[in-house]
């Protein structure tokens, strides 16, 4: 701590948090089973210059810096390390500019994602990315993790909307990446290198986002199936239509039971899987008909279409209840894997086998349209055996995704949770290249050490 | 050359080209005003392993390697350096796989882009990127330059369709980047780092591309205006509609005159600018009406809509004739800048001033919808004064794009043509970071030295 006096001296007192009680709330994100240490102090800078000063001094002192948005991450990417500085973006919370002609929005990293979306909407524009934590997470965290959401199946991920960044590097140097035009190929794509790098290459201090025109009024479809195989047939049938759904979600039997026990929506015991679909194209109503037909053709038990925007929202309610319902069943460990679209049913079947083998409840829901699934392991965290069993199931699920030609993380990031898994996914040379890039930009490994890189 | 005996020994004779007459055709791409040297030899490998062997030995010998697709580039990115090895991807020309369920296509780098598009079409799918050279350029070159085209205004650039790569690094190590799923955040986005890196970080030996469903039947609109300002008003009006055009091109008076003198299409002296528009959405016909209305509201002289697919294609004919028509007027130097959409008219006016100041003909056409413009300087290449004047105009145009908040290259790349301009566009720290990444992946600067990086 005494080492840090030099740092404290260089920053205004209101930027520096040393109260242990306050510091305690900056230790972890919302992940489970991830290591965390006690930070030496927390900095809450208000300007890019204060961020630059903090990083320059931390770099001189050789103290680790962990950058933190809302702390809503699920893989430990914002967890503190022992004796580190936590750099909170909370006060970098200004929407700097909205340009409706160029359809872009410039924001500091601490702006809540829902506020970005609302500001775009006020200007008749649309910022698509909608991670589950949209109401609380920050745009800086979204960029750092390349966050996804339900929109991705049609609109892509956060990175697809980032035109440029202001970044402070590990040693305090500040640079801009990208541009304000929608096209441009001048230089390496540094913007995309920082997107998803989970705070290991620099601290993002400003984001320039591309916006879209507001989509048309959405129409939704809810289809129930006797089993997951039926839903899987519908997924294939939908892929063969010309419709690009704007929502394409699946819920399994375990998840539906959990929902029913919290908020009865009328899914009885005959329902083994649900698909939730939406179109927001200019032919949304016709699209919804086509989606409904595809579900019927796959022997859906029941297919409901929305008649108005309120109904369209209501039909998706089950998806929002999925995680809160499963969380009530016990301790939970949420996985995030992505498999090729055609392997979604195989993954679900593997998860059912794993649940049965391990004697666990594992609910499964997720983005069927892009294969990004969230198996949620319910376990007894009060015993070492309970925790071991949960971890074993989690590992088997993640291994299954790799075996099916998928990836170990679709949208939650590697964080501290999956560095071993990243090592398994990458080949040896790609692992070396990750190290070479990290060393090129952060040679002393000041920024978020132990995160996002393959375990050694 | 004697140094290279070790390399020649390691490769099958049919891979090595030493005949000076043959080598001569591998010296330059289609750019003007770019330096080039005489290669020592040309390699035309047939496998990733042969590429890896070539790079490993070249690296040991310290000989530069310039990778070349079709050589259709316009900024010197594939120009040879004196004594280098040119590595042609010509024989890596196999489409490895099309997976219609996952909507992906795997290709070697030497596959011609039109063949990628045709193969996708045969499977009822769509690969959008359509650079002007689509009939001859290769997918590897497209990935290396992050090539664009008319599609970009709706569909984005080549990089938006690259899911993963196989890459041979400067020292011959081979790795895979990315994945076969549409979503995934495991590790740094190495795929995007290689996309657009113009052969300076590795040699791409396989590309996994994302495909889309075939779009609906397109409807086109051609609108003529008395002057560029009128077309500019229409651009703004179109931006305010809900339509996302799939083509959104502009041609100026100089370009129209050049077209009329080659292939009369009926643009008389009253026409000062033309907009070419298309929609391929499921409501393409209604979209075309809305686009036509927007043009009418901006006082178009004449607005024509297509009635069938043949007409839709015919209405875009002027755009395809633009460069061939201008090329007939003399020597030509094609620029490629991108400005914010709202600055397209300002850029055109600057170009008109520059043409008048310098006593030159400068035709201008390009992608109005995304601000990516191609001013084409016609000059007398037979005298030093003629060439100096052309270069001065080119530099003034590029400077103008930067002043208007744009970028020095929208889609053609930096190559050897714009390394000084890249230096001006990037800030000092971003320039340092480019160098750090290049050193991390190619410490001896074996790969395409002098290309794509800011001039020192």
């Amino acid at each position: 701590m005494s080492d840090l006096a030099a740092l404290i001296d260089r920053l205004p007192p209101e930027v520096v948090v040393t109260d242990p009680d306050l510091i305690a709330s900056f230790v972890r994100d919302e992940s489970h089973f991830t290591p965390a240490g006690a930070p030496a102090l927390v900095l809450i800078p208000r300007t890019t210059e204060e961020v630059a000063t903090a990083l320059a001094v931390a770099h001189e002192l050789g103290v680790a810096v962990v950058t933190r948005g809302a702390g809503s991450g699920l893989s430990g990417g914002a967890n503190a390390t022992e004796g580190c500085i936590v750099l909170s973006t909370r006060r970098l919370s200004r929407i700097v500019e909205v340009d409706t002609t160029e359809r872009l929005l410039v924001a500091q990293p601490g702006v809540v994602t829902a506020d970005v979306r609302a500001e775009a909407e006020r200007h008749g524009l649309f910022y698509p990315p909608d991670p589950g934590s949209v109401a609380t997470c920050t745009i800086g965290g979204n960029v750092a993790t390349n966050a996804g959401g339900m929109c991705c199946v049609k609109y892509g991920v956060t990175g697809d909307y980032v035109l440029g960044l202001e970044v402070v590097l590990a040693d305090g140097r500040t640079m801009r990446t990208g541009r304000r035009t929608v096209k441009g190929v001048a230089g390496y794509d540094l913007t995309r290198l920082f997107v998803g790098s989970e705070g290991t290459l620099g601290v993002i201090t400003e984001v320039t986002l591309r916006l879209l025109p507001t989509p048309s009024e959405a129409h939704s479809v809810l289809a129930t199936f006797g089993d997951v195989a039926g839903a899987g047939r519908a997924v294939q049938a939908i892929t063969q239509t010309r419709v690009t759904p704007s929502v394409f979600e699946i819920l399994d039997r375990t998840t539906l039971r959990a929902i029913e026990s919290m908020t009865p929506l009328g899914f009885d015991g005959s329902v083994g899987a649900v698909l939730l679909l939406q179109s927001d194209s200019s032919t949304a109503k016709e699209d919804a008909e086509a989606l409904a037909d595809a579900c019927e053709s796959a022997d859906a038990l029941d297919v409901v279409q929305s008649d108005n925007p309120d109904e369209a929202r209501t039909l998706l309610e089950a998806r929002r209840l999925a995680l809160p319902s499963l969380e009530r069943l016990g301790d939970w460990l949420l996985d995030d894997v992505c498999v090729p679209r055609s392997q979604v049913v195989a993954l679900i079947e593997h998860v059912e086998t794993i649940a049965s083998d391990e004697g666990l409840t594992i609910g499964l829901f997720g983005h069927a349209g892009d294969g990004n699934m969230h198996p949620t392991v319910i376990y007894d965290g009060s015993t070492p055996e309970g925790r071991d069993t949960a971890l074993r199931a989690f590992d088997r699920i993640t291994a299954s995704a790799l075996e099916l030609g998928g990836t170990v993380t679709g949208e939650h990031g590697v964080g501290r949770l999956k560095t071993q898994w990243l090592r398994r996914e990458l080949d040896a040379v790609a692992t070396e290249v990750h190290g070479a890039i990290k060393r090129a930009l952060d040679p002393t490994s000041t920024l978020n050490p132990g995160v996002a890189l393959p375990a050694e």
Side-chain angles (χ1 to χ4, degrees), chain A:
Chain A
M1 184 68 189
S2 59
D3 267 5
L4 294 174
L7 177 58
I8 296 171
D9 285 350
R10 293 279 296 279
L11 291 166
E14 57 270 36
V15 167
V16 183
V17 177
T18 54
D19 177 334
D21 288 346
L22 288 175
I23 288 177
S25 64
F26 290 86
V27 171
R28 300 192 57 89
D29 64 13
E30 293 182 14
S31 61
H32 299 176
F33 287 99
T34 51
L41 53 78
V42 173
L43 300 178
I44 314 184
R46 300 156 306 180
T47 64
T48 298
E49 292 67 32
E50 288 177 354
V51 173
T53 300
L55 290 191
V57 180
H59 189 251
E60 280 167 32
L61 297 175
V63 182
V65 176
V66 175
T67 309
R68 181 185 181 90
S72 56
L74 290 162
S75 51
N79 284 8
T81 54
E82 192 65 29
C84 80
I85 296 165
V86 169
L87 194 157
S88 165
T89 62
R90 181 184 289 175
R91 285 191 190 132
L92 294 162
S93 57
R94 200 159 51 86
I95 292 180
V96 178
E97 179 191 354
V98 183
D99 184 328
T100 55
T101 305
E102 302 304 328
R103 288 184 188 150
L104 61 82
L105 182 152
V106 181
Q108 292 185 308
V111 177
V112 171
T113 306
D115 294 340
V116 169
R117 288 169 58 98
E119 184 71 13
E121 206 177 319
R122 261 193 292 281
H123 289 84
L125 293 167
F126 178 43
Y127 175 70
D130 59 348
S133 53
V134 61
T136 57
C137 65
T138 62
I139 193 68
N142 289 179
V143 173
T145 57
N146 197 9
M150 289 203 284
C151 78
C152 303
V153 65
K154 175 169 178 178
Y155 289 105
V157 292
T158 300
D160 295 319
Y161 294 87
V162 182
L163 290 173
L165 298 171
E166 180 185 72
V167 177
V168 181
L169 298 176
D171 58 7
R173 287 176 297 162
T174 302
M175 71 167 177
R176 286 197 167 268
T177 73
R179 53 196 65 83
R180 286 169 66 95
T181 57
V182 285
K183 252 172 116 174
V185 291
Y188 295 153
D189 194 343
L190 299 184
T191 305
R192 277 289 188 143
L193 183 60
F194 282 92
V195 169
S197 64
E198 302 190 32
T200 62
L201 298 178
V203 176
I204 294 161
T205 50
E206 194 179 274
V207 183
T208 301
L209 297 169
R210 183 171 74 93
L211 304 175
L212 297 183
T214 306
S216 300
E217 197 171 276
H219 285 259
S220 300
V221 176
L222 184 154
T224 60
F225 299 86
D227 53 26
V228 160
R233 285 193 302 275
V235 169
Q236 297 305 322
I238 290 165
T239 309
Q240 301 307 315
T241 68
R242 281 183 166 226
V243 179
T244 302
S246 50
V247 170
F248 195 155
E249 300 288 310
I250 192 168
L251 308 172
D252 80 343
R253 185 187 300 272
T254 303
T255 305
L256 294 166
R257 281 189 186 157
I259 291 170
E260 282 300 305
S261 77
M262 184 172 87
T263 312
L265 296 176
F267 300 120
D268 65 28
S270 69
V271 180
V274 161
L275 286 183
L276 303 174
L277 303 157
Q278 192 174 75
S279 170
D280 63 2
S281 84
S282 54
T283 50
K285 183 139 186 61
E286 294 85 335
D287 289 355
E289 303 275 358
L291 295 170
D293 287 350
C295 292
E296 301 276 11
S297 77
D299 301 324
L301 300 175
D302 197 21
V303 182
V304 185
Q305 289 183 55
S306 65
D307 267 338
N308 57 58
D310 278 347
E311 264 187 40
R313 269 188 296 276
T314 305
L315 284 187
L316 303 185
E317 185 64 13
R319 178 61 177 82
R320 278 182 285 271
L321 296 172
L323 188 55
S325 305
L326 288 166
E327 284 178 359
R328 291 171 70 243
L329 302 184
D331 295 301
W332 54 278
L333 178 58
L334 181 65
D335 206 345
D336 161 56
V337 293
C338 189
V339 295
R341 280 183 279 248
S342 60
Q343 302 299 325
V344 167
V345 170
L347 179 75
I348 295 177
E349 288 169 354
H350 287 198
V351 169
E352 284 171 355
T353 303
I354 294 163
S356 158
D357 287 356
E358 305 287 355
L360 287 168
T361 296
I362 307 181
L364 188 141
F365 59 94
H367 316 303
D370 47 31
N372 185 194
M373 292 288 125
H374 297 305
T376 306
V377 180
I378 308 302
Y379 68 100
D380 177 2
S382 66
T383 70
E385 295 72 27
R387 293 192 293 274
D388 285 352
T389 309
L391 265 184
R392 198 166 53 236
F394 180 86
D395 281 348
R396 288 180 65 184
I397 293 166
T398 313
S400 171
L402 274 186
E403 279 158 26
L404 293 169
T407 174
V408 300
T409 174
E411 58 184 7
H412 292 176
V414 169
R416 297 183 189 284
L417 184 65
K418 287 190 171 168
T419 59
Q420 294 284 354
W421 283 105
L422 181 59
R423 179 73 181 220
R424 280 181 64 171
E425 180 163 335
L426 299 178
D427 63 42
V429 177
T431 294
E432 290 162 18
V433 168
H434 275 74
I437 288 170
K438 171 72 172 174
R439 284 190 299 277
L441 290 179
D442 180 16
T444 57
S445 201
T446 298
L447 296 174
N448 226 356
V451 164
L453 288 164
E456 294 189 2

